[in-house]
Amino acid sequence: MLIARVVADIPRPGVRGLGEVLFARAAAVLMAVALLLGTAADASGGRLAPVQWRMVWSASTDGEAGGSNSDWEVPLHGASEQVLALATGDRGVRVHDARTGRLVRVQHLSSAPVAGVWVTSGTVVVLTGKRDDGEQRLQAFDAATGATLWRRPVQFLDPERVPGAGRYSGPRVVVTERGIVIAERRYEPLTLLSLDPRSGAAVARTTHERHCDLTAAGARSLLLLLDHCAGNRMRLSALDPSTLRAEWRRTMPSPARTFPDAHQLGDPFPVGLTVSGDGYAAAGDAFYAPDGRRLPTPRAAPRAAGSVRTPREAPPATGSVRGSRWSEPLFLSGEPGVLDRSVQSAPAFLTSLDPDTGRLHALPLDVPPGPATLAGTAPGKAFVLLGTRRAAAYTLTYGVPTGRELFDGVPLDAWPDACGLLSATDLRPIADGYTPSPATPARFGQRLPRPARCDWIPPTDDAPVVSLAVEWVSSSSATTRRIYAAETTAIKQGLAYDAATEDPYLLDYLLPTATGSRGAPEAVVGAGPVIVRLVSTSRSALRLLAPLVRDELLARYRLARPTPASLPQLRWSFPVDGHLEGAPTVSGDAVYAAGGGRVYAMDASSGLLRWSRAVSAYVSGPPQSAGDLVYAGETGIALHALDIRTGRPRWRYSSRDLGLHFLATRGRVILCAGSEIIALHAATGRRLWRFRTADSCAGSRPQQAGGTVYIADYAGIVHALDLATGRSRWSVRTGTDERTGPWVTPAGKVVYVAGADRRIRALDAVTGAQRWSTRLGAALTFAPLPAGAAVYVRSADYEMYALDARTGRKRWTALTGAVESALVLAAGQDRLYAVTAAGIISVFDTATGAEGWSTPLGGAVIVGPVVHRGVVYVSTAGGVVHALDGATGARRWRMDTGDAPEHDSITGNALTYANGLLYTGGGGNVYALRP
């Protein structure tokens, strides 16, 4: 039911106990019944009622805007009938005209970050400062002119519980038209301070009972306090914000959890409190009017006012116009049945309350709930943030209800048959013999005449199930386009997606799972007025079927098929069934990759799948091949060896201490397990030798040159071991800091070692004798790069050094910016290419260190530079691959691989040149690009 989602979205931290779960479920059922009764009553009454929220404007917010500050439970946005104010990412506040959306001004307030924003009585109130600063500043400026009205330092109540006293879990600042109420830190028990909105002067102060937990919420004219006291007593109070005197108090039923239990489990409050702008409150499963009346519910008759005090100035009982009895919206939330989804295409719903009957009334918006936030309300108006990039204003329209308002006015028989959007013939390339299993779930208590969901069941267990759901049908194609565009924008900002198949109607992406170790493949299609979602464990199946569903809908609604995207640099792409675990590796005529718990082998030229094998959900790092085997590791679990031709398992070596890195070479597999270096027979997995180190070597990558293996441990010791026997040839201790092992780079007869002791050493590869040692200005945090007669190295203070490879003498130095890239230097044709700052790559003359061109890339560099035939390749955050001219820095091309923005080089963005192609990964795809 819709309201189950509504209740789930009410901020209710710490729902953990069985009693509280039952409490929440009972509230959900009760509110659902209220919603349906409210809709039915309007439909039968034939009177004018709200029938639609119509968008009157939308405006860009220029990126980071709005949201909330979890430190103090305060909003970063506020709205009134005159203005909408939003915090920005550059320590300012954007002010928009609430009637037109026009940007009035950007107000820059101080060097401290904006921590809260409100609007009231023609005033914009702003909180600045960080939680750990000890003191914050509250200030106000005139909404019309931008003139500063007042500034005031504030200190907030410490959220940690004081022994013997209750906890306060509400907002540290509540802004109303009558007063700004602050929960102060300096007093115990809790002290509430009221400030005048226009002058900032303190006008009232009151203390709260010590043995009560407390939460709060504000309307335009009221401050509501909900306390849960010793003895499991619960009470709702309304205060005048200007005097902090109680207008009324109402004793509430005790919650399922007792007061001591709440503290023992760390729960801040057992019942949620939500208040509309005009003062109607939802507290648990009960609703209250601004004058304190408990509103009737479908299972409870109206009750007498009881202990309610008559307010001095009760707000009117309507929140809109034309005789409607509905309050301003209480909630903005998504459709039920999809509570476990982080991204949804079903629209967001605004839910209001009938102040006479307690019935709930919900109407859909033309946005998905995932990126939508209710920024504020006014009579008959609602302001919504669409992610962080746009804001929109809606006005409430009225008409004679038809009973289809929850469905955007769409007749139920307009919903297509989910099983009719695919056929057994469509699924035959996956497996022959799929059978449909239709389902007709109820929507808002009404059963659709056709199946809204269809699970296609395969004939055998080794073929994937395909699920197709019709998630929404809008009143127009334009409305669906707005919902679809908002959702896909949110997906691309936070999730990995298939950039190779994206078009204006279709997006294939990976939804995170609970463990985070795999991605759940899904595809969303928005064509005509319909939004459809496909789910399967196989991304190859989605890649085949989603375009067929798209084309079926386009044909039904007589829309043109999209023109395929032009990606001239793309040779082929292959989707794995989850996030790539490490970069794809190339060996001969094959490419190997791991993702979604499987290892894949693909033809390097065509991308055709040779085989795939399920290994484990926790495969970590890229697979390696050597001889007739492919190896894949599970950190802390096991190493798997698969047949290179068939993928059949050959052997498995288990170890709880297995590190991330291993090396397959010359009939041996070298790996680290805790403080042991182990060599396995490549063909059988039999242990050949082991060498114990002084400390763990789990973070070091084994490297081999000739018949020697080099590896470092966390004690800062570099070990050179005989590959055949494991006998130590030499060990050299270097400096170490915070369990950081040294970087080791073998280069012919020399091994270069860069350590946290600020030294780079050149060691004889045979004896370990030190040829030279040079101390630099800071710890060395990247591997040395030997090239020609020089060795290049970067330090933690962003200095780049060119050292003489024979003597260690400094040739030149260059100061660069902070970088996060795993590989920050590359040399070629008398040039040194370096990431010199976040998102900037520069070139230096290798002889003099003189800087040449410098090119900004628009995102933090994750991998690169990689140089081939005069072209520099770099991958930036989100998996965007850039090709730059090595001589001029001019961009030749760029391609978005669809990787999630937070992913780093371990997730598959490495760049490998082989077979005349450039191989990389991103968005769960393996890509082969034409260089």
Side-chain angles (χ1 to χ4, degrees):
M1 301 299 296
L2 167 67
I3 247 359
R5 175 72 191 212
V6 169
V7 173
D9 281 355
I10 300 174
R12 298 182 56 199
V15 178
R16 295 190 184 117
L18 175 60
E20 194 165 345
V21 171
L22 296 176
F23 182 87
R25 290 180 178 174
V29 172
L30 185 62
M31 293 175 71
V33 173
L35 170 64
L36 295 177
L37 290 178
T39 303
D42 273 346
S44 61
R47 61 181 176 81
L48 289 182
V51 294
Q52 184 185 39
W53 283 102
R54 181 176 60 86
M55 182 186 289
V56 292
W57 59 257
S58 72
S60 171
T61 59
D62 258 356
E64 302 267 339
S68 62
N69 182 343
S70 60
D71 282 345
W72 297 306
E73 303 296 330
V74 296
L76 293 169
H77 47 70
S80 69
E81 290 192 84
Q82 291 77 37
V83 297
L84 170 68
L86 308 168
T88 68
D90 57 355
R91 303 187 175 190
V93 176
R94 292 174 63 92
V95 179
H96 292 259
D97 187 301
R99 293 158 294 188
T100 65
R102 178 180 61 87
L103 178 64
V104 177
R105 75 178 61 83
V106 177
Q107 195 94 1
H108 296 284
L109 300 168
S110 71
S111 58
V114 174
V117 175
W118 302 262
V119 177
T120 182
S121 302
T123 304
V124 179
V125 181
V126 181
L127 173 69
T128 59
K130 297 181 180 179
R131 175 174 176 172
D132 53 4
D133 286 347
E135 184 174 281
Q136 293 76 42
R137 184 174 294 275
L138 202 62
Q139 53 192 304
F141 62 89
D142 187 272
T145 66
T148 299
L149 299 176
W150 52 267
R151 295 187 178 92
R152 181 188 183 99
V154 292
Q155 289 184 318
F156 294 132
L157 176 77
D158 194 324
E160 298 300 325
R161 183 168 63 94
V162 176
R167 268 194 308 192
Y168 178 71
S169 60
R172 302 307 185 269
V173 178
V174 179
V175 176
T176 74
E177 291 182 353
R178 295 182 183 177
I180 300 171
V181 181
I182 303 172
E184 290 193 296
R185 183 176 67 181
R186 68 187 78 180
Y187 298 102
E188 191 63 45
L190 167 67
T191 298
L192 299 179
L193 173 68
S194 177
L195 308 178
D196 181 83
R198 293 296 290 183
S199 68
V203 294
R205 178 178 278 121
T206 187
T207 59
H208 196 70
E209 190 173 339
R210 289 183 59 92
H211 298 285
C212 293
D213 279 354
L214 180 69
T215 189
R220 280 192 293 276
S221 302
L222 288 175
L223 172 68
L224 293 184
L225 300 180
L226 181 60
D227 52 24
H228 178 215
C229 303
N232 213 27
R233 178 173 60 87
M234 185 162 284
R235 181 178 60 186
L236 181 65
S237 305
L239 275 63
D240 182 330
S242 63
T243 64
L244 297 180
R245 295 172 183 161
E247 296 279 318
W248 51 261
R249 292 188 177 93
R250 168 76 72 175
T251 299
M252 295 178 57
S254 299
R257 178 166 295 167
T258 64
F259 178 82
D261 290 341
H263 283 322
Q264 290 169 7
L265 294 174
D267 293 344
F269 209 82
V271 175
L273 176 64
T274 303
V275 182
S276 67
D278 47 356
Y280 292 91
D285 64 346
F287 295 91
Y288 295 87
D291 59 5
R293 288 181 300 115
R294 179 168 179 175
L295 301 180
T297 63
R299 69 176 183 183
R303 297 179 180 178
S307 60
V308 177
R309 295 185 182 180
T310 302
R312 290 184 300 118
E313 183 182 353
T318 77
S320 49
V321 295
R322 298 183 61 178
S324 167
R325 298 194 308 272
W326 300 109
S327 74
E328 293 176 21
L330 275 163
F331 317 112
L332 185 147
S333 58
E335 188 185 353
V338 285
L339 300 182
D340 57 342
R341 307 177 70 93
S342 64
V343 180
Q344 304 161 66
S345 66
F349 287 80
L350 281 173
T351 302
S352 299
L353 177 71
D354 186 318
D356 294 333
T357 65
R359 296 193 305 258
L360 295 169
H361 187 76
L363 292 173
L365 297 183
D366 52 0
V367 295
T373 304
L374 185 60
T377 64
K381 296 178 182 178
F383 302 94
V384 175
L385 299 183
L386 310 179
T388 60
R389 299 187 178 276
R390 296 198 70 79
Y394 291 82
T395 186
L396 194 57
T397 60
Y398 294 82
V400 177
T402 65
R404 297 196 300 265
E405 285 73 33
L406 281 170
F407 293 87
D408 196 26
V410 174
L412 301 188
D413 58 8
W415 283 57
D417 182 345
C419 292
L421 298 178
L422 283 175
S423 67
T425 302
D426 294 331
L427 286 103
R428 189 167 296 155
I430 304 171
D432 195 6
Y434 269 90
T435 56
S437 176
T440 310
R443 296 260 177 164
F444 319 126
Q446 301 187 53
R447 189 164 295 277
L448 297 169
R450 301 185 186 92
R453 178 186 175 94
C454 191
D455 296 323
W456 288 87
I457 310 302
T460 59
D461 291 340
D462 58 352
V465 174
V466 176
S467 296
L468 185 153
V470 178
E471 294 206 339
W472 191 246
V473 180
S474 299
S475 57
S476 68
S477 295
T479 300
T480 289
R481 296 306 302 161
R482 284 193 292 270
I483 298 175
Y484 178 82
E487 178 182 5
T488 53
T489 298
I491 289 173
K492 293 168 68 175
Q493 289 174 353
L495 302 179
Y497 66 96
D498 190 344
T501 61
E502 177 196 7
D503 67 40
Y505 304 102
L506 183 156
L507 189 66
D508 174 350
Y509 60 95
L510 293 170
L511 190 71
T513 60
T515 63
S517 60
R518 299 176 62 180
E522 299 191 352
V524 59
V525 177
V530 181
I531 291 180
V532 172
R533 195 176 307 273
L534 292 90
V535 180
S536 177
T537 56
S538 169
R539 290 190 67 225
S540 294
L542 293 182
R543 194 180 258 204
L544 171 69
L545 299 174
L548 299 180
V549 174
R550 174 203 63 198
D551 293 347
E552 170 66 23
L553 291 173
L554 292 176
R556 288 188 182 201
Y557 298 103
R558 299 180 180 179
L559 299 171
R561 292 180 59 180
T563 302
S566 177
L567 298 172
Q569 66 274 18
L570 179 63
R571 174 70 171 268
W572 57 261
S573 70
F574 181 86
V576 304
D577 296 335
H579 289 293
L580 282 172
E581 302 293 344
T585 57
V586 185
S587 179
D589 62 351
V591 179
Y592 303 96
R598 304 183 73 88
V599 176
Y600 299 82
M602 293 147 279
D603 184 274
S605 177
S606 65
L608 293 176
L609 180 67
R610 293 184 175 180
W611 54 260
S612 73
R613 177 69 59 176
V615 176
S616 167
Y618 300 99
V619 174
S620 52
Q624 296 183 35
S625 67
D628 61 351
L629 293 178
V630 177
Y631 305 92
E634 299 176 80
T635 302
I637 300 176
L639 182 71
H640 301 264
L642 310 177
D643 186 279
I644 201 169
R645 292 178 296 275
T646 65
R648 181 175 60 85
R650 293 274 286 271
W651 56 260
R652 180 179 186 270
Y653 179 81
S654 299
S655 173
R656 289 182 299 176
D657 299 321
L658 194 68
L660 173 64
H661 306 294
F662 63 91
L663 172 68
T665 181
R666 293 194 178 187
R668 304 282 190 273
V669 180
I670 310 299
L671 51 86
C672 175
S675 58
E676 287 187 333
I677 302 170
I678 297 173
L680 305 178
H681 190 280
T684 65
R686 178 173 55 89
R687 192 174 67 192
L688 298 176
W689 54 258
R690 63 180 175 180
F691 178 88
R692 184 170 294 278
T693 59
D695 203 337
S696 173
C697 54
S700 181
R701 186 186 301 273
Q703 299 191 64
Q704 173 254 332
T708 305
V709 174
Y710 302 95
I711 194 168
D713 62 29
Y714 282 148
I717 301 175
V718 179
H719 304 275
L721 309 179
D722 185 276
L723 178 62
T725 66
R727 179 178 56 85
S728 175
R729 293 185 168 175
W730 51 262
S731 295
V732 172
R733 181 179 293 273
T734 67
T736 186
D737 181 33
E738 299 292 333
R739 296 184 63 78
T740 300
W743 297 83
V744 181
T745 303
K749 297 180 180 181
V750 182
V751 178
Y752 297 100
V753 179
D757 62 348
R758 305 184 182 186
R759 287 192 175 274
I760 179 171
R761 296 170 173 85
L763 307 179
D764 188 279
V766 176
T767 66
Q770 182 171 288
R771 294 190 173 187
W772 53 260
S773 174
T774 301
R775 183 176 176 84
L776 303 177
L780 304 179
T781 54
F782 299 101
L785 172 67
V791 57
Y792 304 95
V793 68
R794 302 243 340 223
S795 63
D797 61 354
Y798 318 132
E799 194 85 9
M800 183 168 60
Y801 301 86
L803 307 178
D804 187 283
R806 187 174 59 86
T807 66
R809 180 180 57 83
K810 296 178 185 178
R811 290 186 169 185
W812 51 262
T813 64
L815 184 64
T816 66
V819 294
E820 300 294 337
S821 175
L823 174 66
V824 295
L825 300 172
Q829 296 182 347
D830 299 326
R831 300 186 183 99
L832 180 70
Y833 303 94
V835 181
T836 54
I840 297 178
I841 185 169
S842 304
V843 66
F844 297 84
D845 186 283
T846 56
T848 66
E851 184 174 355
W853 55 259
S854 184
T855 300
L857 301 174
V861 175
I862 301 299
V863 174
V866 174
V867 182
H868 181 76
R869 293 185 178 179
V871 180
V872 183
Y873 301 98
V874 181
S875 181
T876 55
V880 181
V881 181
H882 306 259
L884 309 178
D885 187 282
T888 65
R891 182 178 283 108
R892 292 192 172 185
W893 53 260
R894 71 187 296 275
M895 176 180 162
D896 194 338
T897 67
D899 212 16
E902 69 273 14
H903 288 174
D904 56 23
S905 59
I906 292 179
T907 65
N909 290 333
L911 302 164
T912 303
Y913 182 86
N915 306 313
L917 296 172
L918 186 72
Y919 299 91
T920 188
N925 284 352
V926 178
Y927 290 96
L929 310 179
R930 299 181 179 92

